[in-house]
Amino acid sequence: MPAATADGAVVLGQPVTLNLGMPTAGDCAAQAAALNAQALVLVANGQTIPGARASFVCSAKGELLGTASTSIAGNGDDATQRRSAWQTAFSGFFNLAAPKSLPVAFGPVTGGITTAPKMVAIQGASNRDLGLAAVWFALVAALFLLAFFRHFGRTDAITPIAGVPMPPRYLPPYSLARFQLLWWSGIVTASYVAILTVTGSMDTITTGTMALMGIVGGTSVLAAFQDRRPSDDQTRRQQHAALYIAAAATNPPGQAAMAASLAQVYPPSEGLLPDLLSDAAGYNIHRLQLLAWTGVLGITFLYEVTRTLGMPELSANLLALTGISNGTYFGFKMQEQQVATPTGMTQPAG
């Protein structure tokens, strides 16, 4: 009988032992020695699982027992191959908490089976490991969420202009580039911690994931550079500041004009979605397409993490589409107007 948990299922990471029954010919010891000499490995659902050799012994009753490791832990190519083989055997690891009955046998590393298959209930991970992974994932995700809403998700502090006081408890608008960077940083970091908890593997970052973070990080750097370079928005802020000072100097002060100018000198946050999707001219489709694609790809990424217990290897087409989406956003961002032109004034040329 297989080594089992309390619910009767073998959890990946535990050894699996198959009772192959009484030998049909010859004594048990000779059969065990012959099988040990063949260096057999585990075969689950027709999929050869590379790894440690199976060992064969005889029970007190003279029955032949075969034992092999089901470990998916570790770093390096061999561990990656084992996880990939188990994913194929399971048709993915989705719904990890539920055991799945698979035909299990022993066979050569080159493929095929040597012993008769036995049905074994196998579970991708223990309930304890899954619970712990979920806790770590939630904690890391909450940390990035808090960082976004508390400070790091907003545009850089706007430089005060002399004679125009900054409003009390002023909050600058949220930044779409920073949202994307923190969104992906949170997803990748939380996924990494969760996978590490279940598999024990530290080497789970794929090339596609690194390329994705490079695209996102590059967009954030370019967006920050664009926000800091001299622009017509700075000229318009100075114009609004002059209008504010002029309205404040009248008797009585023009409160409505002061408030309108102040909102342009220090553009306030209008809320998460309006900040992410609009500029001074209103909602922008290039911001919507970047936000939508970021959300869809992020959810798909998380689905693959839960299904396969690994970071997905993003295809060249997905990375190219992400690069196009980010490039389109940045190209239009260079044309955006974050501060409205004061009434009766024209935007400077250039």
Side-chain angles (χ1 to χ4, degrees):
M1 294 296 293
T5 62
D7 60 3
V10 174
V11 176
L12 289 188
Q14 297 177 338
V16 59
T17 299
L18 301 183
N19 187 332
L20 303 178
M22 300 294 293
T24 57
D27 62 11
C28 181
Q31 288 281 346
L35 290 173
N36 282 324
Q38 296 180 48
L40 302 180
V41 295
L42 203 62
V43 180
N45 203 17
Q47 177 66 39
T48 300
I49 310 296
R53 291 172 48 181
S55 62
F56 298 88
V57 297
C58 296
S59 70
K61 296 180 180 180
E63 296 171 320
L64 188 60
L65 304 178
T67 302
S69 169
T70 64
S71 174
I72 57 174
N75 304 299
D77 292 340
D78 57 340
T80 301
Q81 291 170 6
R82 285 197 306 273
R83 286 191 290 271
S84 177
W86 276 111
Q87 288 161 16
T88 302
F90 268 86
S91 299
F93 284 113
F94 192 66
N95 195 13
L96 292 172
K100 188 172 183 178
S101 292
L102 302 175
V104 178
F106 299 104
V109 294
T110 54
I113 61 173
T114 301
T115 65
K118 303 283 185 178
M119 294 303 295
V120 179
I122 302 179
Q123 189 169 311
S126 69
N127 293 332
R128 175 185 176 277
D129 286 345
L130 288 176
L132 188 59
V135 168
W136 278 114
F137 183 94
L139 287 175
V140 173
L143 178 63
F144 277 89
L145 195 63
L146 181 65
F148 174 78
F149 282 107
R150 291 292 294 175
H151 179 73
F152 294 102
R154 300 183 183 274
T155 56
D156 290 334
I158 296 178
T159 305
I161 294 180
V164 184
M166 186 175 289
R169 297 183 296 277
Y170 170 71
L171 293 175
Y174 289 105
S175 164
L176 180 55
R178 289 192 174 200
F179 168 82
Q180 184 184 220
L181 179 61
L182 287 172
W183 166 266
W184 279 114
S185 297
I187 286 178
V188 171
T189 305
S191 297
Y192 179 83
V193 172
I195 295 169
L196 176 63
T197 302
V198 175
T199 68
S201 174
M202 297 180 65
D203 189 16
T204 57
I205 303 295
T206 62
T207 303
T209 302
M210 290 189 292
L212 174 67
M213 292 304 299
I215 293 172
V216 172
T219 300
S220 298
V221 170
L222 291 174
F225 175 78
Q226 174 65 20
D227 289 339
R228 287 178 173 84
R229 67 187 292 270
S231 67
D232 293 339
D233 278 336
Q234 295 180 5
T235 301
R236 285 186 285 268
R237 283 188 70 219
Q238 293 289 345
Q239 292 172 346
H240 281 289
L243 293 177
Y244 175 91
I245 294 172
T250 61
N251 191 15
Q255 297 294 336
M258 290 171 62
S261 296
L262 191 64
Q264 298 299 326
V265 176
Y266 304 110
S269 173
E270 300 292 340
L272 179 62
L273 283 179
D275 289 351
L276 297 182
L277 296 177
S278 64
D279 63 3
Y283 288 93
N284 291 320
I285 192 170
H286 63 278
R287 286 176 168 265
L288 175 61
Q289 66 86 22
L290 178 62
L291 183 62
W293 176 245
T294 299
V296 168
L297 188 58
I299 293 171
T300 304
F301 188 100
L302 288 174
Y303 171 79
E304 285 298 305
V305 169
T306 60
R307 191 181 71 85
T308 66
L309 278 182
M311 301 276 185
E313 184 57 81
L314 302 176
S315 69
N317 287 340
L318 280 177
L319 292 173
L321 185 56
T322 301
I324 291 171
S325 180
N326 280 263
T328 301
Y329 159 73
F330 181 71
F332 277 99
K333 179 179 173 60
M334 295 177 65
Q335 325 268 335
E336 285 183 349
Q337 181 175 326
Q338 299 298 332
V339 179
T341 302
T343 304
M345 297 184 181
T346 58
Q347 182 176 340

